[in-house]
Amino acid sequence: MSAFVDLGDAVAIVTGAGSGIGRASAVSFAKRGARVVVTDIDGVRASAVATEIGAAAIGARCDVTNLADIEAVRDLTLERFGRVDVVMNNVGVLAVGAVEDIPLDAWQRIVDVNLLGIVRSNIVFLPHLLAQGRGHIVNTASMAGLLPYGFDRLPYTTTKHAVVGLSESLALYLRPRGIGVTCLCPGGVATNIVEQITFFGEPRRPRSPDLPVSDAEEVGELVADAIANDRFLVLTAPDAARELLERARDIDAYVFRLAEEAANDSN
Ligand SMILES: NC(=O)c1ccc[n+]([C@@H]2O[C@H](COP(=O)([O-])OP(=O)(O)OC[C@H]3O[C@@H](n4cnc5c(N)ncnc54)[C@H](O)[C@@H]3O)[C@@H](O)[C@H]2O)c1
């Protein structure tokens, strides 16, 4: 498929780009010629990544739970680069613990960051992209948004499923209007994600499918490729597609198999 946006001549904004997948994606976009606005709640990290990229990048502090911060990033980008072509909504935080141990305010925070962070971004950037009639949105979900492994981090699993659903429906609306949508569903990626975890009850290692862990740099390249080749779904672990097929063939059998495995794990 042909791209909605040529990264060689694009202006890209990435949230949560002070570290990990966001940082690597910003670097990949810049390597392909894009000018990049590196944003993060940690402004020092955002500036450090922008400095590392060089003259093609600027850094800005932006908390995705704050609409005014996102509006300020839009205004800064338009002032510095004259337009916005790519918006990568990449922030995700987790609460890990037994379902009954995770309090309501932890749920509210995770919905506010992981889901409403993207909703706010759409409110701020879609009018500009629609008026332009060109653009590309990347939403970082997770394999946890496609498969039910994460009962030990249920607010994360729930919001990542919501991000997948939001992205699919958004693609139906935006593609005829000249705007591509990519939903990134990584398996394990070596990043600083543990910093984003709040633990409740007994500390435990998050459950996950037995899939290889990727480098953030590989994932950044996959995201840039998805924009360049107009791909919707990006899986970092190709084997994950087998799980998705098994789930689609017989969801009862799939859920019951995983439940049995989970029960054996806890014995
Ligand atoms: N690392 C993995 O194994 C993995 C797997 C699947 C999905 N993901 C998703 O990838 C995305 C990026 O995670 P990562 O692994 O690169 O983590 P990371 O911790 O390396 O980077 C996340 C960045 O987000 C920033 N951040 C946190 N809260 C913020 C907020 N409210 N506003 C703006 N920035 C904020 C942090 O300061 C940090 O720099 C997340 O959505 C995560 O759910 C990661």
Side-chain angles (χ1 to χ4, degrees):
M1 295 288 282
S2 64
F4 284 97
V5 162
D6 172 9
L7 275 176
D9 180 37
V11 176
I13 297 169
V14 185
T15 68
S19 171
I21 293 169
R23 175 198 160 278
S25 300
V27 169
S28 291
F29 299 165
K31 269 203 278 185
R32 296 182 192 212
R35 287 159 291 164
V36 187
V37 183
V38 177
T39 77
D40 201 283
I41 195 170
D42 183 333
V44 174
R45 273 186 173 174
S47 298
V49 173
T51 303
E52 179 195 340
I53 291 174
I58 54 174
R61 186 192 173 278
C62 173
D63 176 353
V64 298
T65 67
N66 185 331
L67 190 70
D69 278 11
I70 304 175
E71 288 169 338
V73 166
R74 176 200 58 202
D75 296 346
L76 172 73
T77 309
L78 292 174
E79 187 193 305
R80 291 293 293 270
F81 296 128
R83 46 176 226 270
V84 177
D85 302 297
V86 175
V87 179
M88 179 168 179
N89 300 305
N90 172 66
V91 178
V93 296
L94 296 81
V96 172
V99 178
E100 62 278 20
D101 287 339
I102 298 180
L104 183 61
D105 60 357
W107 273 92
Q108 283 167 329
R109 175 168 166 268
I110 290 165
V111 170
D112 200 24
V113 175
N114 296 7
L115 178 58
L116 296 183
I118 296 180
V119 171
R120 287 184 195 93
S121 165
N122 286 339
I123 288 168
V124 172
F125 292 113
L126 277 186
H128 176 81
L129 297 181
L130 286 165
Q132 193 168 259
R134 188 188 65 249
H136 200 111
I137 291 180
V138 180
N139 293 330
T140 304
S142 168
M143 278 307 297
L146 293 167
L147 297 171
Y149 282 86
F151 64 76
D152 59 348
R153 51 189 186 287
L154 204 56
Y156 184 77
T157 307
T158 305
T159 53
K160 293 298 187 178
H161 273 75
V163 172
V164 172
L166 177 154
S167 304
E168 280 184 284
S169 285
L170 201 60
L172 304 196
Y173 177 62
L174 292 182
R175 289 181 63 81
R177 292 165 173 79
I179 301 163
V181 178
T182 291
C183 186
L184 170 64
C185 291
V189 185
T191 67
N192 295 315
I193 188 92
V194 284
E195 291 176 7
Q196 310 307 326
I197 302 178
T198 310
F199 290 94
F200 293 91
E202 291 278 292
R204 56 177 88 197
R205 208 166 63 87
R207 306 181 71 253
S208 56
D210 188 16
L211 295 169
V213 173
S214 311
D215 289 334
E217 287 67 28
E218 288 166 39
V219 180
E221 285 295 291
L222 289 176
V223 175
D225 286 346
I227 295 169
N229 301 313
D230 180 25
R231 302 286 308 177
F232 174 75
L233 180 65
V234 176
L235 300 173
T236 62
D239 278 359
R242 262 210 319 269
E243 290 261 338
L244 288 170
L245 273 177
E246 186 192 340
R247 176 179 186 271
R249 248 192 319 266
D250 184 344
I251 194 162
D252 284 38
Y254 182 70
V255 170
F256 298 164
R257 174 175 77 74
L258 291 193
E260 238 169 70
E261 282 174 18
N264 291 336
D265 283 355
S266 58
N267 287 338

